[in-house]
Amino acid sequence: MQRLAIVYHSAQGHTAHIATHVAEGARSSATVEAQLLEATELAQRPDELLAYDGVVLGSPTYLGGVSGPFKGFMDATGRLWRTQRLKGKLAAGFTVSSLPSGDKQSTLTSMFVFAMQHGMLWVGNPFLPGQHDGVPHDQAVNRLGSWSGLMAQAGHAAAADAFVPGDITTARLFGRHVAQTLERLGPPRAAGAAA
């Protein structure tokens, strides 16, 4: 079994809700074990990431970037960066905001740069927007049109599980896609292994 960590921060529960659907999609693979990890807890012990073959990063978008607690987790991986201990592992990202845009792309870009600094391999969101095929907008897969990672929208002050069906479906498909990519690539080789 390959192991996939879904590392997220969620202040109001929205990002946690999407994280559970990403995990559900990943678990549809018979050979991938997906585990949810809270970023604030993992910041205290970032070496735990070494036990995983891939990492999906999840944060709400606050003022055009990742949340402060999520950034704290990212910064806590500094010693892993110095030794490139995450090199070759799979990485992907998702974010939630209350507006259709909300500058979510900036959040995904910061996650991408973080993964590249660690030498990880980035997986995007390859699904064409379903509304182009006549699916109603709220039910459409990738309705927000994001290919660099998963984007979801929760209305301001909405309940933590108040997402349109399309965003939930996209989260599950995204998790499954990351797991299938992990299956195809196999476990990362140990740093410094002979070519």
Side-chain angles (χ1 to χ4, degrees):
M1 291 288 284
Q2 294 188 79
R3 301 186 72 205
L4 181 66
I6 299 166
V7 182
Y8 70 93
H9 168 250
S10 186
Q12 306 299 322
H14 301 98
T15 307
H17 187 72
I18 292 297
T20 62
H21 289 287
V22 172
E24 183 179 314
R27 290 174 184 144
S28 69
S29 162
T31 63
V32 174
E33 173 191 327
Q35 185 172 357
L36 293 164
L37 301 171
E38 291 188 11
T40 52
E41 294 177 10
L42 194 56
Q44 306 304 313
R45 45 186 197 280
D47 287 357
E48 285 188 16
L49 287 176
L50 300 177
Y52 295 90
D53 303 298
V55 180
V56 179
L57 308 167
S59 171
T61 293
Y62 289 163
L63 297 172
V66 297
S67 66
F70 196 84
K71 181 64 165 76
F73 151 71
M74 293 166 78
D75 291 347
T77 67
R79 69 177 179 271
L80 298 177
W81 171 78
R82 283 190 289 280
T83 56
Q84 289 292 282
R85 301 286 303 279
L86 300 178
K87 186 175 183 178
K89 293 182 184 288
L90 215 60
F94 66 94
T95 188
V96 177
S97 75
S98 63
L99 296 172
S101 170
D103 289 326
K104 288 190 281 292
Q105 187 64 48
S106 299
T107 302
L108 291 174
T109 299
S110 70
M111 292 174 177
F112 169 79
V113 171
F114 168 80
M116 294 301 96
Q117 293 237 340
H118 278 289
M120 301 175 83
L121 307 173
W122 189 259
V123 179
N125 186 35
F127 307 104
L128 294 175
Q131 62 267 37
H132 291 183
D133 292 327
V135 176
H137 188 263
D138 283 357
Q139 296 174 24
V141 169
N142 196 14
R143 69 188 183 96
L144 298 176
S146 173
W147 287 268
S148 52
L150 168 65
M151 291 182 184
Q153 178 190 0
H156 184 69
D161 62 351
F163 287 90
V164 299
D167 287 358
I168 299 300
T169 301
T170 307
R172 290 180 184 153
L173 289 172
F174 180 68
R176 185 175 72 182
H177 172 65
V178 173
Q180 289 173 339
T181 304
L182 192 57
E183 286 177 323
R184 282 197 312 274
L185 293 178
R189 294 170 45 171

